[in-house]
Amino acid sequence: MDPETKKLLDPRAIARAESLGINARFVVEGYMAGEHKSPYRGFAIEFAQHREYAPGDDVRHLDWKVQAKTERYYIKQYEQETNFVAHLLLDGSESMKYGSGEITKLEYGKMMAACLAYVILHQRDAVALAIFDEEIREYLPRSDNRDNLFKIMNRLAGFSPTGGTQIAPVLHGMANQIRRKGIVIVISDFFDDEEGMIEGIQHLRFAGHEVILMQVLDPCEIDFPFTGMVEFDGLEDIPRIQTRPSQIRQSYLREFEAFRQRLRDTCERNQCHFVGMRTDQALDEVLTNYLAFRKTTVGT
Amino acid sequence: MTFLNQALLFGTLAVSIPIIIHLLNRRRFRKVRWAAMRFLNVSVEQNQRRMKLEDLILLALRCALLALLAVSLARPVMEGLSGLPGSKIAAAVVIDNSASMGTAEGEGTRLDLARAAAEAVMGEMPAGSSVAISTPFRPDDPTTEPALARQRIEEVAQTDRHADLLTALVDAARALEGQAASEKEIYLLTDGHAEEWSAFAALDEKLRALSAGARLHVVMVGSPAGANLGISRLVPSGSLPAVNQPFRIDVDVTNYGKAPAANVPVKLLVNGQAAGEPWVIDEIQPGRSESATFYATLPGAGSHRVTVALGDDLVPFDNRRTVVVRAVDEVRILLVDGEPGGEPRDAETFFLRHALAPVPEEARASYPVKPTVVSSSEIADENLAEFDAVVLANVADLTLAMADRLTGYVEEGGGLVVFPGENLRTEFYNTMLHNRHHLLPAVFVAHRPGEESGSRTLEATETNPLGLDREILSGANFRRSYRLDLPPGTGSGRLALRYDDGSPALVESDFGLGKVFLFTSTADLAWNDFAVKPGFVPFVNRLLGGIVQHRDANLNIRAGEIFRHRVEPALSGKEAIVSEVGDPEALGRLTHIEDRNGNTGLEFGETHRAGAYQATVEGHPTPIFFAARPSERESSLELLGPEQLNRIADSATVTRWSAGSGAGGFGAGRKGSELWLLLLFAVIGIAVVEIALAQWFSRSK
């Protein structure tokens, strides 16, 4: 692992998050035995019921004791403990390139995605990664193989943003694409069309996915501390604006806070978790705070 | 509208500064790559118009602030407005303190009225105005400090001098030059004494010229005085002022009033003490003078103050006059005889010797004049410095060295009298003593042997500098004489006596500190019978007196003249304190004895008052007395007439000022007001508004 890639993993965040783990809040449709309840009746640990054998069933699941008593073929069905698939959707648009401090929002998002992938893979759940801007630019299919972490991290480290943001089609696409119910974690600044974005979230929720919105923001975007004459050059080909920020600060903050509030409200209405993150916040703190909070809300 | 500092109008170009800064600020900004443009766009759209408007308002305020500041500094004057605060003016106040201003007016003098008028002028001046308080004798620099100006008004002292108002006005105008003020005003505070305005046409023309650049005010103080008796002349006689010998003082008293004056007592004081009974002049007709003659006895060797005083009247300065006379107790005369002869009576200097000491043989020892007779060949052995005068009587010539010594001797204050005769070599006198040393004031025209000039008599010139009686002079018969040629422009040669045919008989001149008399006939009876006539003794005495008194001529000066007195070189660098004699309140003024042009002397210029002064010199045993006489022109009572005042009124505002005059009126008629103070307030107001708005606008919205 090269140093750039390795940098994505915050050892403290991993150490603290690993102990907390990530549990699915809703019933997920895994593809293997795992810690999370699955709607499938399968062949895992906890017996559920018998059903009559049908051609094509795996003969290994025949209950020979029942056959001996009844001379009929029954298949044993169990409530299957399965794993989940977490789909990490990282916004790789140009707006994520902004960073007033040491790291950009994208770097912060990459680190968050890497840490989540690590934690999820280490609890033997599966992770799929998609990096998008106006469409999905990078995609790694689900995998529960721990070795897949390196691939995820390499993809994260190697990605450079180029385009604008269109979250809605990506969310709709993911909702259509993902067959099994899982967790969709969207890491973005969400500087996009709100209505489309909300529809995308609702689409995912309608498909049964748990949706977590992790909003990465730079402190300057939240506090808007600029003074003097400033020319703001849009990162996504938005025309430049020359202004005195101090004179419009309150107006900006009002607009910005209203946007965040609408995002929170949308999440609340759609039973999604909303995680606000500042790039000047310690990653471990953000992650563990959320995971700890999440532990308290599993099943709700 | 006019501007007093037009150059500062260029400051209005500073209006461009905020515009440039505004434009530069628009070009100089931080660049920030920004993600949340959407929210920024919304905010900017919401506030853009307001921000532009605010920017324009602030820009306009800043431009206006700088423009008004520049205009304010350029000091605009709005004509037609008056009474606005901050309208400074520049004024020059000339207070006439000539002798006539000492005329009594009520309980004070005309000068007191002028001071009060000057105070009133000061009271009408806007704050911050500059004013120069000057007198005809002392120009002044302008000041903006009212207290200092008022102090200068108080310090204007009465003088006994005649004033040159024309020069005073020129000085006043000069004091206003270069001053930036909405109004320039010149105030002439005077009594309108006709003598001061004698050059009326020139003064009127000057007033008209000055009125183009300044408002002129002529403030007439005082009212005509009815009567004035003044001492118009006080002349010590030309005789030798010897100790304890009667010394004649001639006095003229003039009635300057319009009514006859009767029984006018005239007192004589020697060194401040009354000497004898007053001389009473029975009557003096208006405009006429009457003479009085005193004989003063000077009690000891040295300087004596001889004062003549009249009774008090409204014009005090001419009621007393003082001269300083130095009495001598011994006068040594060196008589150089060019033709001693066989018998004493045949000597060329025989009559001279007797005329110099016209007393019996036994009394000569106590007589102050001590003649010493030497021959031409013996003169080289004499120390000339021991003699007060040298008389060359029919001396053919002198050696070159002796000519040099003689020239130096006269230059240092000695006297020289030349009597010609048969032996005289005109080439020597003309070439050496006239052409080379410039000692003689005239050239002897070569005398042809046997030439007779005919019978003539002496007569005094109009000025009669020796003060000889004309009848006495006419008694002598002159058969022969040298003709004299007074080259024009040679300087100091003056005709003292002439013959009745008009040809020069006696020429006098000043040479250095000494005096030279050049006579054209003999001192014995060879060419005339003057030596045996009654006029010869006084003639010789007056020659001697002229020589002695000339040495002390600088002790009597005109008021205002610089007193210059030569002293011993040992006193160089010493301090001298000069004070007015008889005025216990007069402060002594310090001066220094300095070397000038190789001579050690005392100089003192503060002689504005008439009277006696004494200079006490450190290390000098006795004080040096000198006297200043007042200007006779100031005694006249005539003031400017209505016609003249009307002419002055064409170019100046003529105001009559008396003890009851009100304070106002001088500021009336000022045409313009300065706007700088108003503009400055506007600038401050705009600055406050700008700061407040800038704070208000820049708050976060």
Side-chain angles (χ1 to χ4, degrees):
Chain A
M1 194 183 296
D2 63 75
E4 279 300 309
T5 308
K6 199 172 179 180
K7 219 166 64 177
L8 293 175
L9 284 177
D10 180 359
R12 280 197 307 168
I14 290 167
R16 293 178 65 184
E18 202 172 9
S19 61
L20 291 167
I22 299 175
N23 294 310
R25 290 171 58 217
F26 307 114
V27 174
V28 291
E29 296 171 339
Y31 60 94
M32 60 171 285
E35 288 184 3
H36 315 291
K37 285 182 179 176
S38 168
Y40 302 111
R41 302 287 179 264
F43 316 101
I45 298 164
E46 200 170 329
F47 172 75
Q49 61 185 2
H50 286 99
R51 81 168 162 80
E52 200 167 355
Y53 172 76
D57 283 342
D58 192 346
V59 294
R60 287 178 299 175
H61 294 143
L62 283 172
D63 189 341
W64 295 107
K65 288 181 180 175
V66 174
Q67 190 272 331
K69 287 178 185 172
T70 64
E71 292 184 354
R72 295 176 71 164
Y73 295 99
Y74 285 92
I75 297 292
K76 281 202 283 191
Q77 286 189 319
Y78 298 88
E79 194 169 291
Q80 190 180 28
E81 291 286 330
T82 183
N83 59 355
F84 66 78
V85 179
H87 300 272
L88 296 175
L89 302 185
L90 176 62
D91 182 356
S93 66
E94 278 206 292
S95 69
M96 292 290 282
K97 273 164 63 177
Y98 181 70
S100 63
E102 292 177 356
I103 58 172
T104 64
K105 293 190 286 184
L106 181 63
E107 287 165 346
Y108 198 89
K110 283 178 177 179
M111 289 166 66
M112 179 57 78
C115 289
L116 284 170
Y118 181 93
V119 171
I120 293 167
L121 285 173
H122 273 74
Q123 63 186 26
R124 303 197 64 80
D125 290 316
V127 172
L129 173 69
I131 305 176
F132 66 93
D133 43 33
E134 291 167 340
E135 58 190 35
I136 291 173
R137 297 292 178 191
E138 297 282 350
Y139 185 74
L140 272 176
R142 71 182 183 200
S143 168
D144 58 0
N145 189 338
R146 289 184 186 182
D147 294 340
N148 203 37
L149 181 64
F150 299 110
K151 287 182 187 172
I152 292 170
M153 289 171 66
N154 281 334
R155 288 292 180 92
L156 287 170
F159 181 79
S160 292
T162 53
T165 316
Q166 283 194 18
I167 298 176
V170 173
L171 295 183
H172 287 299
M174 288 302 290
N176 294 331
Q177 187 180 328
I178 304 169
R179 299 285 179 198
R180 294 168 183 273
K181 295 173 187 172
I183 302 174
V184 178
I185 303 172
V186 187
I187 303 171
S188 172
D189 53 14
F190 299 104
F191 293 166
D192 194 14
D193 169 46
E194 284 180 49
E195 284 187 17
M197 206 158 57
I198 291 167
E199 285 171 6
I201 291 167
Q202 287 170 340
H203 192 171
L204 282 170
R205 286 294 296 134
F206 185 75
H209 302 294
E210 179 188 354
V211 179
I212 302 170
L213 300 188
M214 302 188 104
Q215 188 180 31
V216 190
L217 293 174
D218 189 273
C220 285
E221 290 172 333
I222 298 169
D223 300 330
F224 204 58
F226 301 102
T227 55
M229 196 73 185
V230 180
E231 182 182 83
F232 293 96
D233 187 8
L235 281 165
E236 294 179 0
D237 295 331
I238 299 172
R240 299 171 179 182
I241 294 173
Q242 287 177 4
T243 188
R244 280 192 299 279
S246 59
Q247 294 192 19
I248 56 168
R249 183 166 178 269
Q250 293 296 336
S251 171
Y252 169 87
L253 293 179
R254 225 171 18 245
E255 288 294 319
F256 196 73
E257 188 51 37
F259 159 70
R260 295 181 74 194
Q261 191 56 48
R262 285 195 297 276
L263 212 53
R264 281 192 208 97
D265 294 345
T266 300
C267 290
E268 199 171 336
R269 279 197 302 275
N270 294 285
Q271 292 182 299
C272 304
H273 277 174
F274 176 84
V275 182
M277 300 183 293
R278 291 167 60 112
T279 56
D280 59 348
Q281 275 182 305
L283 191 73
D284 60 321
E285 188 183 326
V286 176
L287 187 57
T288 53
N289 282 350
Y290 172 64
L291 293 180
F293 162 75
R294 184 177 173 80
K295 245 183 170 359
T296 65
T297 60
V298 170
T300 60
Chain B
M1 183 183 289
T2 54
F3 294 90
L4 301 178
N5 295 330
Q6 289 195 352
L8 290 181
L9 275 178
F10 285 106
T12 51
L13 296 177
V15 169
S16 59
I17 292 173
I19 298 171
I20 291 169
I21 290 173
H22 179 77
L23 294 175
L24 285 177
N25 276 345
R26 290 176 67 91
R27 296 171 64 88
R28 294 171 59 184
F29 40 72
R30 275 173 61 201
K31 286 190 175 180
V32 173
R33 295 276 284 164
W34 188 247
M37 291 297 282
R38 174 181 136 196
F39 313 101
L40 202 57
N41 265 327
V42 173
S43 301
V44 169
E45 280 170 15
Q46 285 174 352
N47 294 286
Q48 190 71 5
R49 285 187 63 188
R50 177 185 57 79
M51 286 166 63
K52 275 189 178 175
L53 188 63
E54 289 172 355
D55 280 355
L56 281 175
I57 291 170
L58 289 179
L59 184 63
L61 284 174
R62 286 163 187 166
C63 290
L65 188 146
L66 287 175
L68 285 178
L69 186 63
V71 172
S72 169
L73 291 175
R75 297 181 61 185
V77 176
M78 179 66 84
E79 292 179 5
L81 278 178
S82 62
L84 288 181
S87 298
K88 299 175 190 172
I89 68 160
V93 178
V94 180
I95 301 177
D96 178 5
N97 62 342
S98 61
S100 63
M101 291 291 284
T103 304
E105 289 285 343
E107 293 181 355
T109 64
R110 290 175 181 171
L111 183 60
D112 293 331
L113 287 178
R115 288 198 195 98
E119 287 280 353
V121 169
M122 286 289 301
E124 293 294 321
M125 285 188 188
S129 298
S130 73
V131 58
I133 307 291
S134 61
T135 70
F137 313 109
R138 184 170 295 170
D140 187 27
D141 293 327
T143 177
T144 54
E145 294 292 330
L148 183 58
R150 288 194 164 89
Q151 183 187 339
R152 286 177 180 169
I153 291 172
E154 284 301 311
E155 287 173 354
V156 171
Q158 179 66 53
T159 72
D160 295 331
R161 301 174 61 182
H162 173 74
D164 180 359
L165 294 183
L166 190 61
T167 305
L169 285 172
V170 171
D171 289 339
R174 193 173 296 130
L176 296 180
E177 279 176 11
Q179 291 214 52
S182 61
E183 296 259 357
K184 291 183 179 178
E185 297 175 354
I186 296 176
Y187 292 84
L188 176 59
L189 281 54
T190 179
D191 57 355
H193 191 240
E195 280 296 320
E196 255 85 41
W197 293 80
S198 57
F200 184 81
L203 268 167
D204 187 45
E205 188 180 343
K206 175 53 73 178
L207 286 173
R208 287 174 195 277
L210 291 177
S211 66
R215 290 175 63 78
L216 300 181
H217 293 261
V218 176
V219 183
M220 310 296 290
V221 297
S223 52
N228 178 32
L229 290 174
I231 297 167
S232 51
R233 195 172 72 98
L234 170 60
V235 181
S237 70
S239 59
L240 183 67
V243 173
N244 291 324
Q245 297 290 324
F247 181 70
R248 207 179 85 183
I249 306 287
D250 293 323
V251 178
D252 283 354
V253 179
T254 303
N255 181 359
Y256 296 97
K258 292 180 178 172
N263 299 322
V264 178
V266 186
K267 289 186 288 185
L268 176 72
L269 300 95
V270 176
N271 296 328
Q273 303 296 317
E277 291 297 313
W279 177 294
V280 177
I281 301 174
D282 295 335
E283 186 178 35
I284 311 176
Q285 289 297 320
R288 302 299 299 269
S289 299
E290 294 294 336
S291 297
T293 302
F294 291 95
Y295 285 90
T297 302
L298 306 176
S303 297
H304 299 278
R305 290 164 279 129
V306 177
T307 304
V308 174
L310 302 175
D312 292 338
D313 60 19
L314 293 177
V315 186
F317 79 94
D318 57 4
N319 294 339
R320 290 170 72 91
R321 191 181 288 199
T322 299
V323 291
V324 170
V325 179
R326 189 169 65 89
V328 291
D329 53 358
E330 184 178 272
V331 181
R332 299 195 66 194
I333 310 296
L334 180 65
L335 299 174
V336 185
D337 198 325
E339 192 177 5
E343 296 292 325
R345 189 182 173 80
D346 296 336
E348 189 77 21
T349 58
F350 174 79
F351 295 100
L352 273 176
R353 185 159 55 87
H354 286 278
L356 284 168
V359 290
E361 194 68 34
E362 60 274 15
R364 285 187 180 166
S366 60
Y367 194 72
V369 181
K370 304 283 192 298
T372 301
V373 180
V374 297
S375 67
S376 304
S377 58
E378 293 168 336
I379 185 175
D381 301 329
E382 297 295 330
N383 180 10
L384 298 185
E386 294 177 354
F387 297 95
D388 294 287
V390 174
V391 180
L392 301 178
N394 197 15
V395 174
D397 55 18
L398 300 170
T399 62
L400 295 180
M402 196 60 224
D404 289 344
R405 280 178 60 196
L406 189 63
T407 303
Y409 161 75
V410 177
E411 196 166 19
E412 287 299 314
L416 174 66
V417 183
V418 177
F419 288 93
E422 291 289 352
N423 295 341
L424 181 135
R425 288 183 53 235
T426 55
E427 297 83 7
F428 167 76
Y429 286 85
N430 293 344
T431 306
M432 290 302 297
L433 297 185
H434 180 269
N435 293 344
R436 180 172 175 180
H437 293 295
H438 309 293
L439 182 59
L440 296 185
V443 174
F444 287 109
V445 177
H447 180 262
R448 289 185 293 277
E451 184 184 7
E452 296 291 331
S453 304
S455 179
R456 291 169 298 167
T457 59
L458 283 176
E459 62 179 32
T461 60
E462 287 74 16
T463 55
N464 193 12
L466 296 180
L468 289 167
D469 189 286
R470 293 167 196 269
E471 286 183 14
I472 289 178
L473 287 175
S474 63
N477 183 25
F478 287 79
R479 299 182 303 279
R480 280 182 63 182
S481 65
Y482 266 104
R483 282 187 285 121
L484 288 180
D485 184 13
L486 277 90
T490 50
S492 59
R494 297 179 297 276
L495 190 62
L497 290 175
R498 66 186 169 213
Y499 295 110
D500 56 1
D501 64 356
S503 57
L506 178 70
V507 174
E508 63 169 343
S509 70
D510 303 330
F511 186 82
L513 294 178
K515 196 170 185 71
V516 176
F517 286 103
L518 188 58
F519 198 55
T520 57
S521 195
T522 56
D524 61 2
L525 301 177
W527 292 1
N528 59 66
D529 60 359
F530 190 32
V532 294
K533 295 296 181 183
F536 190 64
V537 172
F539 169 73
V540 172
N541 187 271
R542 296 296 165 86
L543 291 182
L544 202 53
I547 288 169
V548 172
Q549 288 190 33
H550 173 71
R551 208 178 297 166
D552 302 322
N554 62 342
L555 295 180
N556 295 292
I557 58 174
R558 287 194 313 275
E561 201 175 354
I562 297 174
F563 172 66
R564 293 188 175 91
H565 187 68
R566 188 180 286 192
V567 296
E568 303 89 87
L571 297 177
S572 176
K574 301 275 188 185
E575 288 183 347
I577 296 174
V578 183
S579 56
E580 292 176 40
V581 178
D583 184 355
E585 293 183 0
L587 291 174
R589 294 172 189 271
L590 187 67
T591 185
H592 289 87
I593 294 174
E594 295 174 353
D595 290 331
R596 287 191 177 86
N597 303 323
N599 297 317
T600 305
L602 167 69
E603 271 197 14
F604 184 70
E606 299 291 314
T607 57
H608 302 295
R609 297 308 301 263
Y613 291 80
Q614 72 174 29
T616 307
V617 184
E618 182 188 357
H620 197 272
T622 54
I624 299 167
F625 287 97
F626 64 97
R629 63 180 180 278
S631 168
E632 293 86 3
R633 299 176 65 182
E634 292 292 305
S635 295
S636 157
L637 297 177
E638 190 182 352
L639 302 179
L640 287 175
E643 188 181 337
Q644 291 168 310
L645 288 175
N646 286 338
R647 282 194 62 183
I648 294 171
D650 290 341
S651 50
T653 304
V654 179
T655 310
R656 288 227 170 256
W657 183 271
S658 59
S661 296
F666 290 124
R670 285 177 188 147
K671 286 181 180 172
S673 280
E674 280 198 59
L675 302 177
W676 69 270
L677 193 60
L678 288 179
L679 292 177
L680 198 61
F681 281 131
V683 167
I684 293 169
I686 290 174
V688 170
V689 170
E690 193 274 342
I691 290 168
L693 285 181
Q695 290 287 327
W696 175 259
F697 291 161
S698 62
R699 82 194 194 288
S700 189
K701 303 178 185 75

